[in-house]
Amino acid sequence: MVSHNDSEAWSVAIELHSEPGAEDKLVGAILTASETNHRELEAQARAALGIFYALHGRIPDAVAHLERSLELMKAAPGPDRDAVIDYLRQIERGQVTSLGAGPGHGTAEAIREFVLQRLPPGLISQLGVHISAEGGVRWDVEVSRSMTDAEARLLHDTIDAALERFQPRG
């Protein structure tokens, strides 16, 4: 693994690795940067979230954010770009190091699998499921194309079914 000490995105991902609410902070940074058309900040925030996901073993989510980060970055080399490229290579080779799953990781993965198996292939480009320590579920859904009304309804119904099926019983 290449040293990424100069990469701000890598440093943020490592720093936030086990911090409660870290994923929400990174997603919030992406949304803020996107809403203000700050491409460099969005690229850096997506790189940090992609690395964060890779460290948690959430490889499909990691790849989606890392690839989007590269699209947003200028072609000029830099520490963040180098870190993104290195993580994508590690993922491709199956050599990414996971620092362990956060709370609810197994349930989140089960929910992701449940939903993705019931939707048309290629509809969802990224599906993140985060379960808070309190048991709340937050979704991060990106579609790869415009949905038909039937597909939108299917997505909604499938998410509802997943929440019903995996809701902790009190």
Side-chain angles (χ1 to χ4, degrees):
M1 180 173 169
V2 176
S3 172
H4 299 300
N5 292 337
D6 292 333
S7 168
E8 185 69 25
W10 180 82
S11 296
V12 168
I14 294 297
E15 182 180 320
L16 294 177
H17 170 262
S18 60
E19 184 177 312
E23 183 179 16
D24 292 336
K25 289 178 184 178
L26 292 169
V27 169
I30 290 169
L31 293 173
T32 299
S34 177
E35 290 169 357
T36 60
N37 291 318
H38 196 303
R39 292 174 59 97
E40 288 178 40
L41 184 58
E42 181 182 353
Q44 189 176 57
R46 283 187 181 277
L49 185 58
I51 294 168
F52 177 87
Y53 282 153
L55 295 172
H56 283 83
R58 294 176 56 184
I59 301 306
D61 294 329
V63 169
H65 283 286
L66 293 169
E67 288 178 345
R68 180 65 181 133
S69 176
L70 272 182
E71 291 172 11
L72 293 168
M73 288 181 183
K74 294 183 167 92
D80 287 333
R81 184 175 173 79
D82 293 344
V84 168
I85 291 169
D86 185 55
Y87 267 88
L88 285 169
R89 285 182 185 146
Q90 288 181 53
I91 289 168
E92 185 178 291
R93 292 184 208 129
Q95 297 174 336
V96 70
T97 303
S98 172
L99 298 180
H105 177 73
T107 303
E109 285 303 308
I111 291 171
R112 284 183 83 256
E113 187 105 357
F114 178 89
V115 171
L116 290 173
Q117 287 177 353
R118 288 160 177 76
L119 296 175
L123 177 64
I124 303 297
S125 61
Q126 194 235 325
L127 177 62
V129 179
H130 174 71
I131 300 176
S132 71
E134 297 80 32
V137 179
R138 189 183 56 72
W139 298 87
D140 179 17
V141 181
E142 289 185 23
V143 295
S144 55
R145 58 179 169 77
S146 296
M147 293 190 296
T148 66
D149 289 342
E151 287 171 330
R153 180 50 127 182
L154 176 62
L155 175 61
H156 180 269
D157 291 346
T158 303
I159 288 173
D160 283 350
L163 291 172
E164 177 66 28
R165 179 174 181 165
F166 293 97
Q167 183 70 35
R169 309 277 185 238

Coordinates of all heavy atoms in Angstrom, one line a residue, residues 46-97:
R46 N -16.1 12.9 -1.6 CA -16.4 11.6 -2.2 C -15.2 10.6 -2.0 O -15.4 9.4 -1.7 CB -16.8 11.7 -3.6 CG -18.2 12.2 -3.8 CD -18.7 12.1 -5.3 NE -20.0 12.6 -5.4 CZ -21.1 11.9 -5.2 NH1 -21.0 10.6 -4.8 NH2 -22.3 12.4 -5.4
A47 N -14.0 11.1 -2.2 CA -12.8 10.3 -2.0 C -12.7 9.8 -0.5 O -12.5 8.7 -0.3 CB -11.5 11.1 -2.4
A48 N -13.0 10.8 0.4 CA -12.9 10.4 1.8 C -14.0 9.4 2.1 O -13.8 8.4 2.8 CB -13.1 11.6 2.7
L49 N -15.2 9.6 1.6 CA -16.3 8.6 1.9 C -16.0 7.3 1.2 O -16.3 6.2 1.8 CB -17.7 9.2 1.4 CG -18.9 8.3 1.7 CD1 -19.0 8.1 3.2 CD2 -20.2 9.0 1.2
G50 N -15.5 7.3 0.0 CA -15.1 6.0 -0.6 C -14.1 5.3 0.2 O -14.2 4.0 0.3
I51 N -13.1 6.0 0.6 CA -12.0 5.3 1.5 C -12.6 4.8 2.8 O -12.4 3.7 3.2 CB -10.8 6.3 1.7 CG1 -10.1 6.5 0.4 CG2 -9.9 5.7 2.7 CD1 -9.1 7.7 0.4
F52 N -13.5 5.6 3.4 CA -14.2 5.3 4.6 C -15.0 4.0 4.4 O -14.9 3.0 5.2 CB -15.1 6.4 5.0 CG -16.0 6.1 6.2 CD1 -15.5 6.4 7.5 CD2 -17.3 5.7 6.1 CE1 -16.3 6.2 8.6 CE2 -18.1 5.4 7.2 CZ -17.6 5.7 8.4
Y53 N -15.7 3.9 3.3 CA -16.5 2.7 3.0 C -15.6 1.5 2.7 O -15.9 0.4 3.2 CB -17.4 2.9 1.7 CG -18.6 3.7 2.0 CD1 -19.2 4.4 0.9 CD2 -19.3 3.7 3.2 CE1 -20.4 5.1 1.1 CE2 -20.5 4.4 3.4 CZ -21.0 5.1 2.3 OH -22.2 5.8 2.5
A54 N -14.5 1.7 2.0 CA -13.5 0.6 1.8 C -13.0 0.1 3.1 O -12.9 -1.1 3.3 CB -12.4 1.1 0.9
L55 N -12.7 1.0 4.0 CA -12.2 0.6 5.4 C -13.2 -0.2 6.2 O -12.8 -1.0 7.1 CB -11.7 1.8 6.1 CG -10.5 2.6 5.5 CD1 -10.3 3.9 6.3 CD2 -9.3 1.7 5.6
H56 N -14.5 0.0 5.8 CA -15.5 -0.7 6.5 C -16.0 -1.9 5.7 O -17.0 -2.5 6.1 CB -16.7 0.2 6.8 CG -16.4 1.2 7.9 ND1 -15.7 2.3 7.8 CD2 -16.8 1.1 9.3 CE1 -15.6 2.9 9.0 NE2 -16.2 2.2 9.9
G57 N -15.3 -2.3 4.7 CA -15.7 -3.4 3.9 C -16.9 -3.3 3.0 O -17.4 -4.2 2.5
R58 N -17.3 -2.0 2.8 CA -18.5 -1.7 1.9 C -18.0 -1.4 0.5 O -18.1 -0.3 0.0 CB -19.3 -0.6 2.5 CG -19.9 -1.0 3.9 CD -20.6 0.1 4.5 NE -21.6 0.7 3.7 CZ -22.3 1.8 4.1 NH1 -22.1 2.4 5.2 NH2 -23.2 2.3 3.3
I59 N -17.5 -2.4 -0.2 CA -16.8 -2.3 -1.4 C -17.6 -1.7 -2.5 O -17.2 -0.7 -3.2 CB -16.2 -3.6 -1.8 CG1 -15.2 -4.1 -0.7 CG2 -15.5 -3.5 -3.2 CD1 -14.1 -3.1 -0.3
P60 N -18.9 -2.1 -2.8 CA -19.6 -1.5 -3.9 C -19.9 0.0 -3.7 O -19.7 0.8 -4.6 CB -21.0 -2.2 -3.9 CG -20.7 -3.6 -3.3 CD -19.6 -3.3 -2.2
D61 N -20.1 0.4 -2.4 CA -20.3 1.8 -2.1 C -19.0 2.6 -2.3 O -18.9 3.7 -2.8 CB -20.8 2.0 -0.7 CG -22.2 1.4 -0.5 OD1 -23.0 1.5 -1.4 OD2 -22.5 1.0 0.6
A62 N -17.9 1.9 -1.8 CA -16.6 2.5 -2.0 C -16.2 2.8 -3.4 O -15.8 3.9 -3.8 CB -15.5 1.6 -1.3
V63 N -16.4 1.8 -4.3 CA -16.1 1.9 -5.7 C -16.9 3.1 -6.3 O -16.4 3.9 -7.1 CB -16.3 0.6 -6.4 CG1 -16.3 0.8 -7.9 CG2 -15.3 -0.4 -6.0
A64 N -18.2 3.1 -6.0 CA -19.1 4.2 -6.6 C -18.5 5.6 -6.3 O -18.4 6.4 -7.1 CB -20.5 4.0 -6.1
H65 N -18.2 5.8 -5.0 CA -17.7 7.1 -4.6 C -16.3 7.4 -5.1 O -16.0 8.5 -5.5 CB -17.8 7.3 -3.1 CG -19.2 7.6 -2.7 ND1 -19.9 8.8 -2.9 CD2 -20.1 6.8 -2.1 CE1 -21.1 8.7 -2.4 NE2 -21.3 7.5 -1.9
L66 N -15.5 6.4 -5.1 CA -14.1 6.6 -5.6 C -14.1 6.9 -7.1 O -13.4 7.8 -7.5 CB -13.2 5.4 -5.2 CG -12.9 5.2 -3.8 CD1 -12.3 3.8 -3.6 CD2 -12.1 6.3 -3.2
E67 N -14.9 6.2 -7.8 CA -14.9 6.4 -9.3 C -15.5 7.8 -9.6 O -15.0 8.5 -10.4 CB -15.7 5.3 -10.0 CG -14.9 4.0 -10.1 CD -15.7 2.9 -10.7 OE1 -17.0 3.0 -10.9 OE2 -15.1 1.9 -11.1
R68 N -16.5 8.2 -8.9 CA -17.1 9.5 -9.1 C -16.1 10.6 -8.7 O -16.0 11.7 -9.3 CB -18.4 9.7 -8.3 CG -19.1 11.0 -8.4 CD -19.6 11.2 -9.9 NE -20.2 12.5 -10.0 CZ -20.0 13.4 -10.9 NH1 -19.2 13.1 -11.9 NH2 -20.5 14.6 -10.9
S69 N -15.4 10.4 -7.6 CA -14.4 11.3 -7.2 C -13.3 11.6 -8.3 O -13.0 12.7 -8.6 CB -13.7 10.8 -5.9 OG -12.6 11.7 -5.5
L70 N -12.9 10.5 -8.9 CA -11.9 10.6 -10.0 C -12.5 11.4 -11.2 O -11.8 12.2 -11.8 CB -11.5 9.2 -10.5 CG -10.3 8.6 -9.8 CD1 -10.0 7.2 -10.5 CD2 -9.1 9.5 -9.8
E71 N -13.8 11.2 -11.5 CA -14.4 11.9 -12.5 C -14.4 13.4 -12.2 O -14.3 14.2 -13.2 CB -15.9 11.5 -12.7 CG -16.0 10.1 -13.3 CD -17.5 9.6 -13.3 OE1 -18.4 10.4 -13.0 OE2 -17.7 8.4 -13.5
L72 N -14.6 13.8 -11.0 CA -14.6 15.2 -10.6 C -13.3 15.8 -10.5 O -13.1 17.1 -10.6 CB -15.4 15.3 -9.3 CG -16.9 15.0 -9.3 CD1 -17.4 14.9 -7.9 CD2 -17.6 16.0 -10.1
M73 N -12.2 15.0 -10.2 CA -10.9 15.6 -10.1 C -10.3 15.9 -11.4 O -10.5 15.3 -12.4 CB -10.0 14.5 -9.4 CG -10.3 14.3 -8.0 SD -9.1 13.1 -7.3 CE -9.8 12.9 -5.6
K74 N -9.5 16.9 -11.4 CA -8.8 17.3 -12.6 C -7.7 16.2 -12.8 O -7.3 15.5 -11.9 CB -8.1 18.6 -12.4 CG -9.1 19.8 -12.3 CD -8.3 21.1 -12.2 CE -9.3 22.2 -12.4 NZ -9.9 22.8 -11.3
A75 N -7.2 16.1 -14.1 CA -6.3 15.0 -14.4 C -4.9 15.2 -13.7 O -4.1 14.3 -13.7 CB -6.1 14.9 -15.9
A76 N -4.7 16.4 -13.2 CA -3.4 16.7 -12.6 C -3.2 15.8 -11.3 O -4.1 15.6 -10.6 CB -3.3 18.1 -12.1
P77 N -2.0 15.2 -11.2 CA -1.7 14.4 -10.0 C -1.8 15.2 -8.7 O -1.5 16.4 -8.7 CB -0.3 13.8 -10.3 CG 0.3 14.8 -11.3 CD -0.8 15.4 -12.0
G78 N -2.1 14.5 -7.7 CA -2.1 15.0 -6.4 C -2.3 13.9 -5.4 O -2.7 12.8 -5.7
P79 N -2.1 14.2 -4.1 CA -2.2 13.1 -3.1 C -3.6 12.5 -3.0 O -3.7 11.3 -2.8 CB -1.8 13.8 -1.8 CG -1.4 15.2 -2.1 CD -1.7 15.5 -3.5
D80 N -4.6 13.3 -3.1 CA -6.0 12.7 -3.0 C -6.2 11.8 -4.2 O -6.8 10.7 -4.1 CB -7.1 13.8 -2.9 CG -7.1 14.4 -1.6 OD1 -6.7 13.8 -0.6 OD2 -7.5 15.6 -1.5
R81 N -5.9 12.3 -5.4 CA -6.0 11.5 -6.6 C -5.2 10.2 -6.5 O -5.7 9.1 -6.9 CB -5.6 12.3 -7.9 CG -5.8 11.5 -9.2 CD -5.5 12.5 -10.3 NE -5.6 11.8 -11.6 CZ -6.7 11.5 -12.3 NH1 -7.9 11.8 -11.8 NH2 -6.7 10.8 -13.4
D82 N -4.0 10.3 -6.0 CA -3.2 9.1 -5.9 C -3.8 8.1 -4.9 O -3.8 6.9 -5.1 CB -1.8 9.5 -5.4 CG -1.0 10.3 -6.4 OD1 -1.3 10.3 -7.6 OD2 0.0 10.9 -6.0
A83 N -4.4 8.6 -3.8 CA -5.0 7.7 -2.8 C -6.2 7.0 -3.4 O -6.4 5.8 -3.2 CB -5.4 8.5 -1.6
V84 N -7.0 7.8 -4.2 CA -8.2 7.2 -4.8 C -7.8 6.1 -5.8 O -8.4 5.0 -5.8 CB -9.0 8.3 -5.6 CG1 -10.1 7.7 -6.5 CG2 -9.7 9.2 -4.5
I85 N -6.8 6.4 -6.7 CA -6.4 5.4 -7.6 C -5.8 4.1 -6.9 O -6.1 3.0 -7.3 CB -5.3 6.0 -8.6 CG1 -6.0 7.0 -9.5 CG2 -4.6 4.9 -9.4 CD1 -5.0 7.9 -10.3
D86 N -5.1 4.4 -5.8 CA -4.5 3.2 -5.1 C -5.6 2.4 -4.5 O -5.6 1.1 -4.5 CB -3.5 3.7 -4.0 CG -2.9 2.6 -3.3 OD1 -2.2 1.7 -3.9 OD2 -3.0 2.5 -2.0
Y87 N -6.6 3.0 -3.9 CA -7.7 2.2 -3.3 C -8.5 1.5 -4.4 O -8.9 0.3 -4.1 CB -8.6 3.1 -2.5 CG -8.2 3.1 -1.0 CD1 -7.3 4.0 -0.6 CD2 -8.7 2.2 -0.1 CE1 -6.8 4.0 0.7 CE2 -8.3 2.2 1.2 CZ -7.3 3.1 1.6 OH -6.9 3.1 2.9
L88 N -8.7 2.1 -5.5 CA -9.4 1.4 -6.6 C -8.6 0.2 -7.0 O -9.2 -0.9 -7.3 CB -9.7 2.3 -7.8 CG -10.9 3.3 -7.5 CD1 -10.9 4.3 -8.6 CD2 -12.2 2.5 -7.4
R89 N -7.3 0.3 -7.1 CA -6.4 -0.8 -7.5 C -6.5 -1.9 -6.4 O -6.5 -3.1 -6.7 CB -5.0 -0.4 -7.7 CG -4.8 0.4 -9.0 CD -3.3 0.8 -9.2 NE -3.2 1.6 -10.4 CZ -2.4 2.6 -10.6 NH1 -1.5 2.9 -9.6 NH2 -2.3 3.2 -11.7
Q90 N -6.4 -1.5 -5.2 CA -6.5 -2.5 -4.1 C -7.8 -3.3 -4.1 O -7.8 -4.5 -3.9 CB -6.4 -1.8 -2.7 CG -5.0 -1.3 -2.4 CD -5.0 -0.7 -1.0 OE1 -5.4 -1.3 -0.1 NE2 -4.5 0.6 -1.0
I91 N -8.9 -2.6 -4.4 CA -10.2 -3.2 -4.5 C -10.2 -4.2 -5.6 O -10.7 -5.3 -5.5 CB -11.3 -2.1 -4.6 CG1 -11.5 -1.4 -3.2 CG2 -12.6 -2.8 -5.0 CD1 -12.3 -0.1 -3.3
E92 N -9.7 -3.7 -6.8 CA -9.7 -4.6 -8.0 C -8.9 -5.9 -7.7 O -9.3 -7.0 -8.1 CB -9.0 -3.8 -9.1 CG -9.0 -4.6 -10.4 CD -8.4 -3.7 -11.5 OE1 -9.0 -2.7 -11.9 OE2 -7.3 -4.0 -12.0
R93 N -7.9 -5.8 -6.9 CA -7.0 -7.0 -6.6 C -7.6 -7.8 -5.4 O -7.0 -8.8 -5.0 CB -5.6 -6.6 -6.3 CG -4.9 -6.0 -7.5 CD -3.4 -5.7 -7.1 NE -2.9 -4.6 -7.9 CZ -2.3 -3.5 -7.5 NH1 -2.2 -3.3 -6.2 NH2 -1.9 -2.6 -8.3
G94 N -8.6 -7.2 -4.7 CA -9.1 -7.9 -3.5 C -8.2 -7.7 -2.4 O -8.2 -8.6 -1.5
Q95 N -7.4 -6.6 -2.3 CA -6.4 -6.4 -1.3 C -6.7 -5.3 -0.4 O -5.8 -4.9 0.4 CB -5.0 -6.2 -1.9 CG -4.6 -7.4 -2.8 CD -3.3 -7.1 -3.5 OE1 -3.0 -5.9 -3.8 NE2 -2.5 -8.1 -3.8
V96 N -7.9 -4.7 -0.4 CA -8.2 -3.6 0.5 C -8.3 -4.1 1.9 O -8.8 -5.1 2.2 CB -9.5 -2.9 0.0 CG1 -10.7 -3.7 0.3 CG2 -9.6 -1.5 0.7
T97 N -7.7 -3.3 2.8 CA -7.7 -3.6 4.2 C -8.9 -3.0 4.9 O -9.1 -1.8 4.8 CB -6.4 -3.0 4.9 OG1 -5.3 -3.5 4.2 CG2 -6.3 -3.4 6.3

